[in-house]
Amino acid sequence: SLTPQKSTTTLAAVLEAAQAGSSPAGCVTSFMPASGTGPITQISGSPSPAAAKWNINIDGGKVRQAKRSSAIHLGDTISLQLG
């Protein structure tokens, strides 16, 4: 389980936590890029080849490009979509 250390984190930290221990197991096996702040280009091997096509929706708000640096607040409901 993910125990919050602070009230705001990044999408990269959420994906790293999901990769380390998600339920069901293997829900997130990998994501790219592995560093930086830019767009998410691949999650669990999709799409192939990697492309900046992942979008994020936070709490039913506006859909926008998913980035490693996207701010996630404690209690947010997030949805990732391959667009």
Side-chain angles (χ1 to χ4, degrees):
S1 82
L2 177 63
T3 304
Q5 302 298 316
K6 52 190 173 181
S7 62
T8 303
T9 191
T10 63
L11 178 57
V14 171
L15 290 171
E16 287 166 357
Q19 186 177 357
S22 61
S23 182
C27 185
V28 175
T29 58
S30 63
F31 71 97
M32 291 177 49
S35 62
T37 58
I40 300 296
T41 58
Q42 196 172 64
I43 298 176
S44 299
S46 292
S48 183
K53 294 183 177 181
W54 283 97
N55 294 313
I56 188 169
N57 177 292
I58 301 172
D59 288 335
K62 182 179 178 184
V63 174
R64 59 183 186 223
Q65 186 177 49
K67 296 182 179 180
R68 286 183 54 89
S69 60
S70 295
I72 308 298
H73 299 86
L74 184 61
D76 281 352
T77 299
I78 64 172
S79 170
L80 293 167
Q81 301 126 7
L82 184 57

